[in-house]
């Protein structure tokens, strides 16, 4: 079997999705979970981009032992040095250099001629070689680059020391057959290509990222870039769960390939990323959507009970999907909860488990039955919190068809209790305005969603919001059996990202 190297870029390209930013503790937690999932390469960030990015790559480098930790760099000396400095402590460091090679990018972005770009590729790879043994090089916008030029750039990068050549479909413009011929042509026309691994990096602007990545594998690529839940710049990247499960499920086509992914961890890491970024997983999302293994029609249900393969091409348990499994009630103990959380993929300190236990008991009092998804929501609430400047003590809201909606919130801020009241267009708006009064902010709500975590009238409601504060788009999430409380928690989760 040939191994397909899984290169996860959730922490870099994934985080480039507008509003998807994660805090440093969240990034570290996610890196641990990616390592546990079995990804071969973790692209931890773009170190030159900001001091926060630099620190995140540095911290992840110190903590991750088995996966390769990679940092992105333009073909600029300062970028390469920043990548080197941030990756110094990594056990297996890699630099990922990128440089645009398509006519459109060279002309409008760089205003540079082919020869200048070629020289830059050479110089930067040479510089990187003094600092790294493991060098990945990406000719950005590769799928719109002239063939002869891309061959020359790749040959030069390999000559200077690149060990992986990544082919980005930067704007998600390509089609599976085109990707197949591009990879095949590179294999045929670049004389030293046998000295490097070919990798593929696809965006989903036309919904073909997974198909294009798989097509590249068939043509000879042996590394695939992907992200959890397919998050990423614009329409996102190829999703890890789709690529991995397609390789595993379609043995008739991909039988000669394997990955090192522990697929049973896929569902929980998907929920973790969704919780950290505030991007809900669409119910119909392939592999990890809530409905991916649900059968609504009676005919389907009947057939699945008789023989699951009638309508199920994958075993849901293979991706860690246990359905609405009843886990515990109010008599369950702390040890049972700790074990369950561990099984769900959470790595938590004892004090965090204790905090979650308190919330679990409160929830079990309100709800007779507590399901896996309820626990995931509670655990995510705890792992989500980085710094927590504002904490909710209580909220009261009144509304009706013939009264003006009003709310009062009581918050804790640096050990001080602050209260504010406000009116609003609705109870949620009134609550947010009351929070704004306490925090001295003016948030503009861009998106608001509420979803029942499990079924039943006592289900936990999870609110996801996007809000613009001080010119920044922030995401937030909160869960409660009361959706007004969940809304305030989500709002605080968002503004806590910029408050100290
Ligand atoms: O999409 C892209 O081209 C990228 C590069 C940095 C590889 O993300
Ligand atoms: Zn990209």
């Amino acid at each position: 079997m040939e191994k397909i190297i899984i290169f996860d870029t959730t922490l870099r390209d994934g985080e480039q999705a507008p509003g998807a930013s994660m805090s440093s503790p969240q990034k570290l937690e996610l890196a641990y979970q990616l390592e546990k999932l079995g990804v071969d390469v973790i692209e931890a960030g773009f170190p030159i981009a900001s001091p926060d990015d630099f620190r995140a790559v540095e911290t992840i480098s110190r903590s991750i032992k088995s996966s390769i930790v990679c940092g992105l760099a333009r073909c600029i000396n300062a970028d390469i040095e920043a990548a080197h400095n941030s990756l110094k402590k990594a056990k297996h460091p890699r630099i990922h250099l990128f440089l645009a090679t398509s006519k459109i990018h060279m002309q409008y972005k760089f205003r540079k001629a082919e020869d200048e770009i070629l020289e830059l590729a050479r110089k930067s790879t040479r510089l990187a070689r003094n600092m790294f043994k493991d060098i990945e090089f990406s000719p950005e916008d590769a799928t719109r680059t002239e063939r002869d030029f891309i061959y020359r750039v790749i040959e030069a990068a390999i000559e200077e020391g690149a060990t992986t050549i990544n082919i980005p479909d930067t704007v998600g413009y390509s089609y599976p057959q085109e990707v197949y011929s591009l990879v095949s042509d590179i294999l045929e026309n670049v004389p030293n290509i046998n000295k490097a691994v070919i990798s593929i990096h696809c965006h989903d602007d036309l919904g073909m990222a997974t198909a294009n990545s798989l097509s590249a594998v068939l043509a000879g690529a042996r590394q695939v870039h992907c992200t959890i839940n397919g998050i990423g710049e614009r329409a996102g990247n190829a999703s890890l769960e789709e690529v991995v499960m397609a390789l595993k499920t379609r043995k008739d086509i991909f039988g000669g390939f394997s990955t090192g992914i522990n697929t049973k961890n896929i569902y929980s890491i998907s929920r973790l990323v969704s919780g950290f970024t505030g991007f809900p997983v669409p119910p119909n999302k392939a592999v990890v959507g809530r409905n991916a293994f649900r059968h609504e029609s009676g005919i389907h249900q009947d057939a699945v009970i008789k023989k699951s393969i009638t309508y199920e091409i994958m075993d849901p348990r293979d991706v860690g999907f246990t359905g609405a499994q009843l886990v515990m009630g109010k008599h369950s103990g702390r040890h049972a909860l700790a074990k369950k959380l561990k099984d769900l993929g959470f790595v938590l300190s004892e004090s965090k488990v204790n905090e979650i236990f308190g919330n679990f008991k409160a929830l079990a009092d309100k709800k007779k039955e507590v399901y896996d998804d309820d626990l995931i929501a509670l655990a995510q609430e705890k792992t989500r919190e980085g710094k927590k400047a504002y904490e909710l003590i209580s909220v009261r809201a009144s509304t009706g068809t013939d009264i003006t909606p009003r709310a009062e919130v009581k918050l804790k801020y640096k050990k001080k209790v602050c209260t504010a009241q406000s009116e609003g267009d609705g109870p949620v708006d009134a609550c947010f305005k009351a929070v704004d009064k306490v925090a001295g902010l003016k948030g503009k709500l861009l998106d608001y969603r509420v979803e029942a975590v499990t079924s039943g009238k006592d289900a936990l409601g999870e609110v996801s919001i996007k809000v613009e504060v001080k010119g920044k788009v922030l995401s937030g999430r909160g869960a409660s059996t009361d959706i007004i409380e969940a809304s305030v928690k989500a709002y605080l989760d968002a503004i806590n990202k910029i408050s100290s």
Side-chain angles (χ1 to χ4, degrees):
M1 282 245 200
E2 276 197 75
K3 169 136 189 217
I4 301 299
I5 300 162
I6 297 295
F7 179 115
D8 181 276
T9 182
T10 310
L11 287 163
R12 200 277 298 169
D13 215 327
E15 219 220 358
Q16 277 172 230
S21 59
M22 289 176 253
S23 67
S24 298
Q26 288 173 340
K27 286 182 181 176
L28 181 61
E29 171 67 20
L30 182 54
Y32 279 132
Q33 296 296 334
L34 287 168
E35 186 175 48
K36 193 167 153 222
L37 180 69
V39 309
D40 302 284
V41 189
I42 298 172
E43 190 164 45
F46 190 3
I48 194 88
S50 71
D52 268 0
D53 263 53
F54 184 94
R55 273 193 297 275
V57 178
E58 204 178 32
T59 313
I60 292 169
S61 296
R62 258 189 262 114
S63 318
I64 294 299
K65 296 289 172 253
S66 54
S67 308
I68 293 170
V69 180
C70 178
L72 184 70
R74 290 167 297 181
C75 282
I76 294 177
N77 293 4
D79 282 38
I80 298 169
E81 274 145 26
H84 177 58
N85 290 333
S86 64
L87 288 161
K88 266 188 183 145
K89 293 268 159 39
K91 195 149 182 240
H92 311 287
R94 173 181 294 189
I95 187 168
H96 176 192
L97 292 171
F98 75 104
L99 179 64
T101 50
S102 66
K103 276 216 161 94
I104 303 174
H105 279 232
M106 288 192 297
Q107 187 178 342
Y108 296 109
K109 202 167 90 173
F110 291 141
R111 296 181 202 285
K112 281 195 196 304
E114 284 190 351
D115 284 348
E116 291 172 277
I117 293 289
L118 194 63
E119 192 42 36
L120 202 51
R122 275 195 184 281
K123 260 177 47 192
S124 301
T125 317
R126 206 177 300 143
L127 175 66
R129 196 180 53 194
N130 297 331
M131 308 170 193
F132 294 90
K133 283 201 193 95
D134 189 347
I135 302 172
E136 177 156 342
F137 182 90
S138 287
E140 192 191 0
D141 206 15
T143 51
R144 294 193 301 173
T145 299
E146 307 281 306
R147 282 291 204 272
D148 283 345
F149 186 52
I150 206 169
Y151 301 152
R152 284 165 62 210
V153 173
I154 294 174
E155 186 182 358
I158 298 174
E159 245 172 49
E160 299 297 345
T163 43
T164 298
I165 295 295
N166 180 50
I167 307 298
D169 183 24
T170 301
V171 289
Y173 180 71
S174 222
Y175 181 75
Q177 267 137 353
E178 284 173 343
V179 173
Y180 187 95
S181 28
L182 175 57
V183 173
S184 311
D185 289 350
I186 289 170
L187 276 167
E188 226 166 84
N189 293 288
V190 176
N192 54 2
I193 195 68
N194 60 339
K195 295 197 180 123
V197 172
I198 301 191
S199 167
I200 186 78
H201 174 108
C202 295
H203 280 272
D204 209 29
D205 300 66
L206 292 172
M208 288 190 276
T210 299
N212 283 339
S213 306
L214 295 170
S215 196
V217 167
L218 291 177
R222 291 295 173 262
Q223 176 179 279
V224 179
H225 280 211
C226 40
T227 61
I228 304 293
N229 299 337
I231 63 166
E233 190 80 55
R234 303 181 311 279
N237 290 60
S239 94
L240 181 144
E241 60 276 9
E242 292 173 15
V243 169
V244 167
M245 290 314 288
L247 290 171
K248 187 175 161 106
T249 306
R250 292 305 305 270
K251 287 267 186 298
D252 52 334
I253 299 172
F254 302 107
F257 305 113
S258 67
T259 71
I261 298 297
N262 306 312
T263 60
K264 287 198 162 63
N265 293 347
I266 283 179
Y267 190 76
S268 64
I269 201 165
S270 154
R271 292 307 179 266
L272 190 74
V273 168
S274 165
F276 283 174
T277 57
F279 280 29
V281 180
N284 62 330
K285 168 79 183 65
V287 184
V288 290
R290 193 166 15 98
N291 294 345
F293 299 102
R294 280 190 181 160
H295 306 280
E296 181 66 26
S297 108
I299 299 170
H300 289 207
Q301 286 173 351
D302 180 56
V304 167
I305 290 166
K306 287 181 179 139
K307 194 79 183 161
S308 64
I309 54 164
T310 48
Y311 287 101
E312 270 177 6
I313 59 163
M314 296 170 256
D315 183 339
R317 287 167 303 185
D318 274 356
V319 295
F321 183 88
T322 49
Q325 207 179 78
L326 179 63
V327 283
M328 297 192 255
K330 62 179 180 183
H331 301 297
S332 308
R334 206 174 297 256
H335 288 301
L337 177 73
K339 178 169 184 320
K340 188 72 203 177
L341 289 168
K342 196 163 167 243
D343 291 347
L344 289 169
F346 291 93
V347 183
L348 298 159
S349 64
E350 205 180 320
S351 66
K352 278 262 189 275
V353 172
N354 287 341
E355 285 173 40
I356 296 170
F357 187 67
N359 296 355
F360 159 70
K361 282 285 176 190
L363 181 65
D365 268 345
K366 290 187 201 160
K367 244 176 140 254
K368 279 195 290 306
E369 297 161 331
V370 179
Y371 296 93
D372 278 3
D373 282 348
D374 292 319
L375 283 187
I376 291 173
L378 289 185
Q380 277 178 350
E381 224 173 37
K382 282 289 156 220
T383 47
R384 208 164 30 234
E385 53 195 43
K387 47 186 180 178
K388 211 176 172 191
Y390 294 97
E391 280 181 69
L392 177 65
I393 299 175
S394 66
V395 55
R396 269 192 213 155
S398 56
T399 189
T401 47
D402 52 357
I403 59 164
T404 306
R406 283 197 177 81
E408 179 182 289
V409 295
K410 199 187 269 185
L411 306 180
K412 193 156 104 193
Y413 177 65
K414 293 189 178 160
K415 296 189 181 149
K416 254 184 28 214
V417 175
C418 318
T419 307
Q421 288 115 11
S422 180
E423 294 183 347
D425 292 336
V428 172
D429 184 50
C431 288
F432 290 1
K433 284 190 170 129
V435 172
D436 282 351
K437 276 189 186 170
V438 174
L441 299 168
K442 197 157 174 42
K444 183 172 160 209
L445 189 64
L446 304 176
D447 193 24
Y448 176 93
R449 281 158 218 254
V450 60
E451 224 189 311
V453 172
T454 51
S455 56
K457 63 179 170 31
D458 57 358
L460 206 54
E462 191 161 54
V463 172
S464 318
I465 62 159
K466 292 251 177 311
V467 60
E468 195 183 313
V469 186
K470 295 182 182 164
K472 268 194 168 175
V473 177
L474 307 168
S475 59
R477 264 192 169 192
S480 168
T481 48
D482 176 334
I483 59 163
I484 300 291
E485 185 184 337
S487 304
V488 179
K489 282 182 170 176
Y491 197 64
L492 294 177
D493 183 39
I495 67 167
N496 276 338
K497 290 179 179 160
I498 53 155
S499 310
S500 51

